[in-house]
Amino acid sequence: FPTRRSSDLGHQGVTFLASTGDNGAPAGYPAYSSNVVAVGGTSLGLNTGGTYEAESGWSGSGGGVSNYETQPSYQVGKVNGTSATQRTAPDLSIDADPNTGVYVLDSYDGGYLQVGGTSLACPMTAALVSVADQGRILNGLTTLDGRSQTLPALYSLASANFHDITTGSNGFSAGTRSLATGLPIPVTRS
């Protein structure tokens, strides 16, 4: 993964994302790289009307403290004492539980399958970054650089911008900015 900013390479910003894995703690590499947004998973609960009800840490989501990567500046003082010296993951989480995941059409076998995993959560998060980038372009700005813009911005958001996930475990207990969920996906507002 690049160690220089995208603008240094002659193009607009790029936000790299990596799944933390689907086997519980610890997370896998490259999710521990400080150059990527490490995406973990939650289990999403919807009410009968189909709107958000609750979320919990998904047991399959990777997470933990890196043995090798030092703590990046955007995490300093913002990871609830989980580590003062090493990179932690995930940075954020979104629905990845196969039991609460999304349906996809399997045109070969002729039916819908419900799928999940952090390999679903990661592209869903990439889609959110893409929407943010589109808004930035429409306002005359460049796309977001992950290490110098996206990650510092995520860690600078107030807690009120996130659904607080306090239940569930991946080997670590869920909680605000925990090793189970990191920062949950920000609350969207219309």
Side-chain angles (χ1 to χ4, degrees):
F1 290 96
T3 56
R4 295 183 295 176
R5 292 182 318 188
S6 298
S7 59
D8 296 338
L9 301 173
H11 56 77
Q12 292 187 22
V14 176
T15 298
F16 294 96
L17 298 99
S19 301
T20 59
D22 297 341
N23 298 312
Y29 203 84
Y32 281 130
S33 170
S34 60
N35 296 312
V36 305
V37 176
V39 181
T42 64
S43 182
L44 180 63
L46 302 176
N47 63 27
T48 56
T51 59
Y52 182 91
E53 185 172 275
E55 224 167 341
S56 62
W58 176 51
S59 62
S61 180
V65 179
S66 173
N67 291 326
Y68 306 103
E69 296 284 335
T70 59
Q71 187 175 65
S73 59
Y74 54 79
Q75 282 191 329
V76 172
K78 298 181 179 179
V79 290
N80 276 357
T82 53
S83 175
T85 60
Q86 300 301 114
R87 168 82 158 110
T88 64
D91 291 309
L92 53 82
S93 293
I94 191 170
D95 187 24
D97 184 343
N99 296 312
T100 62
V102 300
Y103 284 94
V104 295
L105 176 61
D106 179 350
S107 59
Y108 182 76
D109 287 328
Y112 284 92
L113 304 169
Q114 189 169 355
V115 299
T118 57
S119 51
L120 166 67
C122 196
M124 288 193 305
T125 304
L128 293 174
V129 172
S130 178
V131 169
D133 281 343
Q134 181 181 23
R136 289 176 58 84
I137 294 295
L138 290 172
N139 285 298
L141 301 170
T142 61
T143 55
L144 291 165
D145 178 77
R147 183 176 173 112
S148 67
Q149 293 175 302
T150 308
L151 285 158
L154 283 170
Y155 280 93
S156 295
L157 288 171
S159 296
N161 291 297
F162 300 96
H163 292 289
D164 197 15
I165 298 174
T166 58
T167 61
S169 169
N170 66 348
F172 295 102
S173 295
T176 304
R177 298 183 179 186
S178 70
L179 297 174
T181 59
L183 304 164
I185 283 294
V187 174
T188 56
R189 293 177 178 41
S190 47

